[in-house]
Amino acid sequence: MGAIGAAFLAGAAIGPIIAVPTIQAFAQDSGRAETYRLLNLFGDVFERIRAEYVEQVNDRDVIESAINGMLQGLDPHSSYMNPRSFRDMQVQTRGEFGGLGIEVTQENGYVKVISPIDETPAARAGVKPGDLITHINGQSTQGLTLQEAVEQMRGERGTQIRLTIRREGERAPVELTLTRDVIRPQVARFRLEGGDIAYVRLTAFNEQTEAALRRAITTMRQQAGGNLKGLILDLRNNPGGLLDQAVQVADDFLDQGEIVSTRARRAEDAQRWNARAGDIAQGLPMVVLINGGSASASEIVAGALQDHRRAVVMGVKSFGKGSVQTVMPIPGNGAIRLTTARYYTPSGRSIQATGIEPDIEVLATRPDPNAPHRDREADLRRALRNDNGERTTEQQPPATPPPPLNLPAGVQDRVVKMPAEGAPAFDPTKPETDHQLQQAVQFLRNLASAQGGPQRRAQR
């Protein structure tokens, strides 16, 4: 301690160049020693579990659980993926897998078919929208989560699976035997609403998303024959995915300006993406539909189009996941998913734990005080805080709200916030029961009428 004190006094006399490195080295040595003590603690606990736990344990399982606990203790989105989970994640981002080709939801404990995908085993076997899958290989789907049922239906190409289906109008269950094939899900589902409104629903952001979006817009423009009055981009219940795909989708509708930026712990790791010239919708008025299930990449797209006033955002507040996860493979041992940055909309807003607020709020159903609360990012344990009020430096200016909508008089007032009393319950197989969608369609028609032309460029 005498030597350290002498060094510190010398530094005080001749300047910090001597004192600071000495104290830093001492602090680093002290910190390193504490780290070694904690690692020894981990080893002691591990050995105690191996020797004394009531049942014999698998060393890999225990270590993987410890690693996962360490990562999940940071925030809700950091985690460890064992080799199988890592492969499943890669399948999802590639946008193809071995399976049947059915888009499904869950209803009354059973798996309900929303739609079979064209040219897939399910479509060829005659699976229909509205079918209820009650058994998979003779085992009831009651009690399974939707994800568990989906995992059972996926499998290697060429393998067989038996489904028992309950179909409206059929007195007896329908038994089908299908052979799995390579499935490329319709990540972009699209159609014309009434012949004049283009509707595209993006279900995820994987490697196929932006190309599928371009094909959808081209197809609908040809079908409409120059009569399009607007475009609806439906991002409801889209949990996100690849950042680069979100950037490309937003870029498809923007001619210039920032799309999104990310800021990490170190200032030099900040990144920014800007739009290139070219709007695949050629200036058609746009509505982006969001809800509490719109997260991450969906919020990047909605926030960029909202800040540039390229689209009107309609629906309810989004999930609020404003963090970026980097997948870091560990050779032979899966990968870790680690939160490495926050992302910000063009106006500098972090939506972490706050979400994207719609320009026009439209509810899917009438308010029900007994309905279960739907968790958002802010409700998750250890969710990162929002730092909008903390960035006041020249490099990180404070966030600003989006510019005003500047709509023609009366157009916004004609939007109905919630379904009428006694309106039919929402059924994903029946678009006419989708209140948010129908309001978006009518909004775009009213906007086109007020602007005096079907393809007048949107306000910027």
Side-chain angles (χ1 to χ4, degrees):
M1 287 303 294
I4 295 170
F8 180 78
L9 291 175
I14 65 174
I17 192 169
I18 297 175
V20 171
T22 304
I23 294 174
Q24 284 180 339
F26 176 72
Q28 288 171 355
D29 288 343
S30 176
R32 192 176 295 115
E34 177 64 14
T35 300
Y36 289 147
R37 280 194 293 271
L38 293 173
L39 289 174
N40 285 334
L41 171 63
F42 176 84
D44 291 343
V45 172
F46 176 60
E47 287 301 328
R48 192 66 58 86
I49 291 171
R50 295 182 72 200
E52 305 294 340
Y53 187 66
V54 64
E55 295 178 353
Q56 187 172 358
V57 297
N58 180 284
D59 288 355
R60 173 173 286 275
D61 290 343
V62 173
I63 294 293
E64 287 182 353
S65 296
I67 294 171
N68 207 25
M70 176 171 57
L71 289 162
Q72 290 181 344
L74 300 173
D75 68 81
H77 306 295
S78 295
S79 62
Y80 171 73
M81 293 178 283
N82 61 29
R84 178 180 176 183
S85 298
F86 184 36
R87 286 194 300 271
D88 289 344
M89 186 276 295
Q90 291 173 309
V91 166
Q92 292 177 8
T93 57
R94 279 198 306 269
E96 60 180 39
F97 53 85
L100 305 178
I102 317 173
E103 184 178 352
V104 294
T105 185
Q106 201 158 32
E107 183 176 286
N108 297 326
Y110 291 115
V111 178
K112 182 177 182 179
V113 177
I114 296 175
S115 177
I117 300 172
D118 292 340
E119 304 301 323
T120 64
R124 289 191 288 267
V127 176
K128 297 181 180 180
D131 283 352
L132 290 179
I133 300 174
T134 61
H135 293 76
I136 299 174
N137 288 331
Q139 299 297 313
S140 174
T141 57
Q142 281 276 13
L144 294 179
T145 67
L146 185 60
Q147 184 60 35
E148 288 170 340
V150 167
E151 288 177 358
Q152 288 191 23
M153 288 187 283
R154 288 183 180 177
E156 292 293 327
R157 178 183 184 180
T159 58
Q160 288 192 332
I161 184 172
R162 184 161 45 90
L163 301 183
T164 304
I165 288 173
R166 193 169 71 204
R167 178 175 295 163
E168 188 175 352
E170 299 281 350
R171 300 184 63 180
V174 177
E175 298 283 347
L176 297 174
T177 299
L178 300 87
T179 301
R180 296 181 178 95
D181 201 349
V182 174
I183 305 301
R184 295 174 178 84
Q186 290 176 280
V187 68
R189 304 185 66 84
F190 63 93
R191 62 179 181 269
L192 287 177
E193 289 287 335
D196 59 351
I197 302 296
Y199 170 82
V200 186
R201 167 168 163 71
L202 299 183
T203 58
F205 286 86
N206 60 35
E207 294 176 5
Q208 316 294 329
T209 299
E210 194 268 344
L213 172 66
R214 282 182 169 269
R215 288 194 298 269
I217 299 295
T218 300
T219 300
M220 287 187 291
R221 188 174 291 282
Q222 293 171 348
Q223 291 173 344
N227 294 320
L228 287 179
K229 294 178 180 177
L231 166 66
I232 298 170
L233 181 63
D234 189 351
L235 300 178
R236 292 174 298 175
N237 297 318
N238 182 322
L242 299 176
L243 174 61
D244 67 322
Q245 288 289 306
V247 169
Q248 291 179 41
V249 167
D251 191 4
D252 281 344
F253 301 109
L254 296 171
D255 284 321
Q256 60 183 356
E258 183 179 308
I259 295 172
V260 68
S261 62
T262 62
R263 298 167 196 163
R265 185 199 303 183
R266 295 181 294 271
E268 61 269 24
D269 292 333
Q271 291 183 280
R272 177 174 285 104
W273 288 264
N274 293 311
R276 299 161 296 178
D279 176 357
I280 64 172
Q282 300 176 16
L284 278 174
M286 284 184 65
V287 166
V288 176
L289 288 174
I290 61 171
N291 66 2
S294 306
S296 191
S298 296
E299 295 171 296
I300 290 175
V301 174
L305 299 183
Q306 183 182 55
D307 279 4
H308 286 286
R309 279 295 168 236
R310 177 61 186 90
V312 174
V313 178
M314 190 177 291
V316 296
K317 185 169 71 171
S318 63
F319 184 79
K321 182 182 174 294
S323 60
V324 179
Q325 281 68 48
T326 301
V327 176
M328 304 174 182
I330 302 173
N333 289 286
I336 63 172
R337 181 190 287 112
L338 188 66
T339 300
T340 54
R342 291 179 173 89
Y343 66 75
Y344 300 82
T345 70
S347 64
R349 292 180 293 155
S350 167
I351 60 167
Q352 172 60 25
T354 61
I356 296 289
E357 292 282 355
D359 298 310
I360 303 175
E361 185 181 37
V362 179
L363 308 181
T365 61
R366 297 185 68 82
D368 180 0
N370 298 318
H373 172 70
R374 182 172 190 169
D375 284 346
R376 287 185 165 85
E377 177 77 10
D379 301 312
L380 302 181
R381 292 185 62 200
R382 301 186 181 90
L384 294 178
R385 72 184 189 282
N386 185 291
D387 66 347
N388 276 337
E390 302 174 11
R391 296 174 292 108
T392 57
T393 66
E394 183 178 344
Q395 291 78 19
Q396 297 185 358
T400 58
L405 279 177
N406 195 24
L407 295 170
V411 171
Q412 183 172 346
D413 297 337
R414 298 170 70 178
V415 177
V416 180
K417 182 177 179 178
M418 66 184 72
E421 285 276 8
F426 171 64
D427 183 338
T429 65
K430 299 176 180 178
E432 64 273 13
T433 66
D434 187 342
H435 179 70
Q436 291 170 320
L437 171 61
Q438 295 307 317
Q439 291 304 303
V441 169
Q442 196 57 49
F443 170 83
L444 287 172
R445 287 178 180 151
N446 292 339
L447 182 60
S449 177
Q451 290 179 336
Q455 297 205 28
R456 181 174 170 180
R457 290 191 65 84
Q459 296 269 349
R460 294 297 180 92

